[in-house]
Amino acid sequence: MSKQFQFKLVLLGESAVGKSSLVLRFVKDQFDDYRESTIGAAFLTQTVTLEDQTTVKFEIWDTAGQERYKSLAPMYYRNANCAVVVYDITQSTSLEKARTWIRELQRQADPSIVIALCGNKSDLSARRQVSEEEAKKYAEEEGLMWAETSAKSGEGVTEIFTAIAKKLPLTAAPSSRAGAAGRPGAAKSGVDLNKQAAGAGPNEPCNC
Amino acid sequence: MPIAELLSAVRSLLLPADDVKAVVEADVTTVDATNTNSNDEPRIVAVISHRDASKISLEGSLFIFRRSSTHQAGLEIQKVVPIYKNASFNLAQSRRDTIDLSRPSEAALSPARTGFDLTISPGPQLPEVILRVSDVRTLRIFMAECKSLENFAPPRSGNGFPWILPYTLGKNSQPIISSTPPDLRVVNEPLFTLLSEASAGMPGDDAADILLVQSQWLRARAREMCGRGTYPLRIRIGTFNVNGKAPTEEIATWIRGTSSEGTADRASYPLPPVDRISPISLEDVARDVFSINSSLSSTSTVSGLATTTDRAFAENVTPDMLVLGFQELDLSTEALIYSTGSAKEDAWCSAVFEVLGPQAILYEKLASKQLVGMLIIIIVKKALRSAFSDIRVCAAGAGIMGVMGNKGGTAIRLKFTPPALAPTDADGRTAPSDEAKPHARHASVLTFVNAHLAAFDEMVERRNADFHDLSRRLGFATDPRLNTGITGGSNGANGANSGITPMISVYESDALFWMVHLNYRLDLPDADVRTILRTWPPESRCSTLLKYDQLRNAMQSHRAFGSFAEAEISHVPTYRFSSGLTTDELGYDMKRRPAWTDRILHLSAGVKVHQLAYAGHPEVTLSDHRPVSAVFEAEVPIFEQREHDAALRHLLRQVADLPADEDTRPTLVVDTSLVDFGVVRYIHCASQVVSVRNSGKVPCAFRFVPLDLGGSISPQWLQVTPLAGFLLPGETAPITFTLIINNKTAAQLNPVRKTLNTALVLHTALGKDHFISIAADYQPTCFANTLSLLTRLPGPIRLLKSEDDLLPENRAHNAPQEVMRLVQALMGVVDIAPILETWPDTSLVNTIQACLDSGDEFPFSHEPGDTQIARAFWDALLLLLGSLKEPIVPYRLQHQCILMTSRDEAFELLGELMPAAINVWISVTAFLQFLCGSSTSPEKMARRISTIYAPVLLPDDPTPNANPISPLAKADFLLYFIAG
């Protein structure tokens, strides 16, 4: 019998580090050279199957990176189970921005949130400004997951999401089988879907 | 047909997100009125599953098909039964050859096949479906699929299962193409308030929202596509409590209208909303054409609102319909016990035709309904008689004596099919032509209610309750044959198909009119009502008194008549003029407080209604009430029903493509993500338009969501329209952002210059959130501040950099410099009378306001003789004082003010005010006293000015349920300071 879990994941990071491209690669295995800047927030889903046949479904919120919309970010990372904070290895300022996001998450997000620091554009390592060591060291200090990815080549993309899935508490986690209450579309009256379902544990297998 | 073939046939009919899980061929019995099994032919029943677009949930429904050679795949969808949570499925062996009496006989008696019954209860209070199948193996699989879908099913709620809509729309059972208009109270609810609760990052029930937005769009778009204009139906409505009296010739003006009616009633076309942004809103206080002994006739001075065309409209055109509501037709005790026949009705009816004079020949009585003292009569133009159809009447008693009907209502509902328009006749109107084919043309439903609610001042709650009770109980039988007392024929469009007779509510109309003797009164002392009526200028006496009108207040607080509209009242109270009792100078008897008890209200959606006149008829003196009349023009839409239905089907096909997966998600493009208003100042109102385009492959519903659940979409200074919308692929819609700097918002934004910044979240149902940033550079104003802040300003407010630069309390000015500048500018005025008669000039007022804010000199060399400029200063002073965040005289102190009995007492009470308020009070009243003193008639002028300034210096407490203070008492308090 396989278990199904569902988690809310939010992507944060400076504008143009490749958050949307990372999601596009993960969800559709596609890459788009000329992507317009995200002005808003997009909701996508993708499922990861682990070795023990457990499936983890991510509800992904890809948010705008522009400073102008910073005040809206908390609306999207509240109740998130995990956050992927993305920087661009060819822009050292983007790591600084990532640090700011991580500090904000540590201060304001759910204390149990799993945070992954993700250095994107690893295909452009010739123009690298952020060394692997520097980022890794910072991640270790802060107790974050860390990886480098390339949304363009696909390198490391599935891996980082799978690693997050493994790190999430899969023992008493929410399941997609919660019926209406499990639909994000049914999120009413400020109910925290994940917390609500977390108490219920994995659902009974269906009899079909 | 083998199961595999059936499965593929069914599958070919489904949308991408849906799949068929199992299928059986069965005899179907549904335990409700719809006769699914009208013959012995077995049905194909399929279990259909639907993945939610976000792929998280699964819903299921039973689809019942009939074989049909004319339909795609040889199958026609007959019925769709959603499987809700707690649906039950019971399998049992058929009891052959026994008659099950609990089922409709037809089905029970049909030749049963050998086999098994699967009884399906789809959910609580839903009719059971029974499938009789011979092949138990197939049935078992079928049942297992049903059960597994039930596992995922949502509980039953109002909006569930939007995905079945594309399959069932087009079936005549769907409300979207129902021949009964939707409930007006629901349709008039702003769409946005009906959408699910959602916020940024927390979408609500997108599927249900799409359904709501889409159905409203479908209605509007279908009408738009086949609309052929409108027919202007002129309706004259009258209400009259006749107090048991017999008709006299006096009623002529009430029936025919007076030549002055259109002008007397400030005929507004359409009724203008109160403009709260413009300084003009204070004109009502400031602009007074004073005349102490104005007569009670309804021909008062014309306001600027009535244009010549409106007047021509109201006067010269004979109405197409005359709808008259009478109350207390028969006061005899017998009348309460048994029907006294139609003698009274006949008498009134013939009186009406008599006073119509030579025009009487144009009209005939269409319908009437009487309940004891309440009678409603509809008279129409003979030429239009054939346009009216499906006339239904009803009556309901209300209140203590409800059954006997001394209070309650009678109502008439009818359909009006606009005749084809022909060249205009001599009247300037269009007349019906012979080419009309009314049967093919859409008919609009008009409903008229005549009601009489509980009496006595203190019974306001009772009247509210009676209204709701009547609203519920006034209903028309769906089967027109059950009607009684109808003079017209009916071509019953709503043939009932079962023994139960559901009622059609009076609200299920395109336009609804209530003519009522409501008995709502004025919450003011008797003497004050009379004094204000007698001594206040005609322009302000009604508007002042109406603030205390119980009906207006019940409407505003939505306790009764919440969504109804009533035109501005400019006629004097219509109650009570009892003969034989002592009366005041105006003829009102001393036993009852004068009140507007007789009213005409309306509510409409499918038919646009413009009110052209609203008048009292003081010249009709036969009863203790005065009759009231109103003239409406209803814009009845013209379209062919068949074209409309075809348009609707066409649109339905276009919207049926609900998104199935990520690739076909709704996609919206917003043309700009930043709206910059630049510099904004008091009083400012600017709009900018952003356009949104559906760039995806599927229809798209959008809505704004607040940042937090239950929060507001935008700050108070910003308005957004529309808040929700629907676009087909490739379509574009404008969204208007309006920035408003008025007293309310300026009060929040003052006192320093600041950058306004906000981001709004535009949510695409089942798609992205778009962010739209709004920016503006706000410049503060001296309007809408507290007095204490104004006195602490070191210079003009525009120069204030930070609140830290304000003067300390102990170095504050005695009074605001801005007030003093205005008073100073007005000191040169010698005679105030001509200034009050001058028409106010808003642009001059704005210039003065800008100079006060910036500290600049006033740009006009002020000559005392220039009344136009003096008038602008006068208005600016009233506006500035009226804009203060806290009133000059605090609300709690106002209750003491009105108890003062002498000038000395009044002055002593002033000590209770803040020092700055005392200084303002003293300077302003001293100036006003000077003005009155130099007037030719000081006492009259003081009284007049007191009615202008009292509402500004002693404004009403806006707190709900605040104890109202008589405006007369406030003016009297002010008089101690400005008279003599």
Side-chain angles (χ1 to χ4, degrees), chain B residues 651-944:
Chain B
L651 291 172
L652 279 166
R653 273 194 298 277
Q654 286 184 278
V655 299
D657 264 339
L658 286 174
D661 54 45
E662 310 273 343
D663 296 320
T664 54
R665 281 202 171 201
T667 325
L668 210 61
V669 177
V670 182
D671 72 346
T672 174
S673 57
L674 176 66
V675 177
D676 192 346
F677 282 92
V679 173
V680 294
R681 300 183 180 92
Y682 180 87
I683 271 175
H684 192 90
C685 180
S687 289
Q688 293 215 22
V689 176
V690 164
S691 86
V692 293
R693 186 170 59 88
N694 180 351
S695 62
K697 297 176 185 132
V698 291
C700 169
F702 63 85
R703 66 176 291 198
F704 281 90
V705 290
L707 296 190
D708 292 294
L709 279 177
S712 55
I713 301 291
S714 61
Q716 268 196 323
W717 47 268
L718 187 70
Q719 269 181 11
V720 187
T721 43
L723 286 170
F726 189 83
L727 292 170
L728 289 179
E731 282 186 336
T732 301
I735 295 179
T736 307
F737 296 89
T738 307
L739 186 133
I740 298 159
I741 306 293
N742 56 16
N743 280 341
K744 204 171 176 184
T745 57
Q748 296 163 355
L749 302 171
N750 282 337
V752 287
R753 180 172 180 170
K754 61 180 64 155
T755 308
L756 305 184
N757 238 327
T758 192
L760 306 185
V761 181
L762 176 63
H763 174 68
T764 318
L766 301 175
K768 276 189 184 180
D769 286 359
H770 292 266
F771 298 160
I772 300 173
S773 300
I774 313 288
D777 177 6
Y778 175 71
Q779 306 243 332
T781 173
C782 62
F783 287 66
N785 288 293
T786 60
L787 266 186
S788 68
L789 184 125
L790 291 178
T791 55
R792 292 176 59 205
L793 284 177
I797 197 160
R798 284 279 161 76
L799 303 181
L800 187 69
K801 291 272 181 294
S802 133
E803 292 193 48
D804 299 335
D805 298 340
L806 288 174
L807 301 173
E809 297 277 359
N810 54 5
R811 285 182 45 218
H813 297 290
N814 290 333
Q817 300 304 294
E818 291 78 10
V819 177
M820 301 321 288
R821 278 185 78 183
L822 291 175
V823 172
Q824 205 126 40
L826 282 162
M827 285 310 271
V829 172
V830 184
D831 187 5
I832 184 67
I835 291 167
L836 294 180
E837 310 302 333
T838 305
W839 199 250
D841 182 335
T842 315
S843 67
L844 282 179
V845 177
N846 290 346
T847 308
I848 293 170
Q849 171 243 313
C851 291
L852 292 177
D853 290 341
S854 64
D856 294 348
E857 288 296 316
F858 299 121
F860 9 79
S861 55
H862 184 44
E863 289 167 36
D866 191 338
T867 53
Q868 198 71 62
I869 290 171
R871 173 71 201 227
F873 279 112
W874 174 262
D875 288 340
L877 180 59
L878 279 166
L879 273 171
L880 179 59
L881 295 172
S883 76
L884 290 170
K885 258 166 125 173
E886 294 157 0
I888 304 266
V889 180
Y891 302 125
R892 52 171 182 83
L893 213 59
Q894 293 184 14
H895 290 277
Q896 290 181 50
C897 291
I898 61 169
L899 300 175
M900 300 298 103
T901 54
S902 72
R903 195 181 154 87
D904 290 345
E905 268 183 34
F907 265 91
E908 208 169 302
L909 191 68
L910 272 193
E912 305 274 325
L913 301 183
M914 283 169 38
I918 298 177
N919 291 335
V920 170
W921 180 278
I922 300 276
S923 14
V924 171
T925 54
F927 157 66
L928 294 176
Q929 187 186 21
F930 163 77
L931 276 186
C932 298
S934 54
S935 150
T936 48
S937 174
E939 205 186 314
K940 265 190 183 178
M941 186 52 77
R943 184 151 285 283
R944 179 175 183 188

Side-chain angles (χ1 to χ4, degrees), chain A residues 6 8 39-43 45 57 61 68-69 72 75-76 78-79 176-177 182-185 187 189-190 207-208, chain B residues 52 54-57 148 151-152 199-205 662 665 673 707-709 759 761 768-771 773:
Chain A
Q6 185 181 316
K8 178 171 172 182
I39 300 172
F43 173 77
T45 59
K57 179 172 194 167
W61 281 98
R68 194 199 288 168
Y69 307 117
L72 294 170
M75 313 305 158
Y76 294 91
R78 62 182 163 195
N79 310 323
S176 66
R177 290 292 172 83
R183 294 164 51 193
S189 321
N207 49 8
C208 53
Chain B
D52 185 82
S54 53
K55 291 185 192 163
I56 291 165
S57 80
S148 86
N151 263 329
F152 302 109
S199 71
M202 273 202 176
D205 191 342
E662 310 273 343
R665 281 202 171 201
S673 57
L707 296 190
D708 292 294
L709 279 177
V761 181
K768 276 189 184 180
D769 286 359
H770 292 266
F771 298 160
S773 300

Side-chain angles (χ1 to χ4, degrees), chain A residues 81-132:
Chain A
N81 306 92
C82 36
V84 177
V85 181
V86 187
Y87 66 94
D88 174 353
I89 63 158
T90 70
Q91 297 289 334
S92 55
T93 52
S94 70
L95 181 65
E96 286 316 304
K97 189 72 208 175
R99 287 175 195 261
T100 319
W101 278 118
I102 286 161
R103 274 196 297 276
E104 181 171 335
L105 286 172
Q106 287 168 338
R107 213 172 47 242
Q108 292 186 30
D110 189 305
S112 66
I113 191 167
V114 172
I115 306 175
L117 179 65
C118 175
N120 195 30
K121 308 196 185 175
S122 65
D123 51 296
L124 300 177
S125 58
R127 281 154 49 191
R128 178 186 288 278
Q129 284 187 3
V130 180
S131 72
E132 293 192 51

Side-chain angles (χ1 to χ4, degrees), chain A residues 35-58:
Chain A
R35 245 191 122 64
E36 277 183 31
S37 172
T38 306
I39 300 172
F43 173 77
L44 299 103
T45 59
Q46 178 63 303
T47 306
V48 171
T49 307
L50 303 178
E51 285 109 5
D52 61 353
Q53 295 309 303
T54 302
T55 57
V56 173
K57 179 172 194 167
F58 286 112

Side-chain angles (χ1 to χ4, degrees), chain A residues 102-181:
Chain A
I102 286 161
R103 274 196 297 276
E104 181 171 335
L105 286 172
Q106 287 168 338
R107 213 172 47 242
Q108 292 186 30
D110 189 305
S112 66
I113 191 167
V114 172
I115 306 175
L117 179 65
C118 175
N120 195 30
K121 308 196 185 175
S122 65
D123 51 296
L124 300 177
S125 58
R127 281 154 49 191
R128 178 186 288 278
Q129 284 187 3
V130 180
S131 72
E132 293 192 51
E133 294 70 34
E134 183 193 357
K136 198 169 179 181
K137 182 164 167 285
Y138 166 67
E140 273 166 13
E141 281 167 15
E142 297 293 334
L144 315 172
M145 303 173 69
W146 171 82
E148 286 196 351
T149 56
S150 167
K152 188 166 186 174
S153 70
E155 186 197 351
V157 177
T158 315
E159 288 80 356
I160 194 164
F161 285 97
T162 310
I164 293 168
K166 284 180 182 164
K167 185 134 189 213
L168 286 162
L170 299 187
T171 43
S175 157
S176 66
R177 290 292 172 83

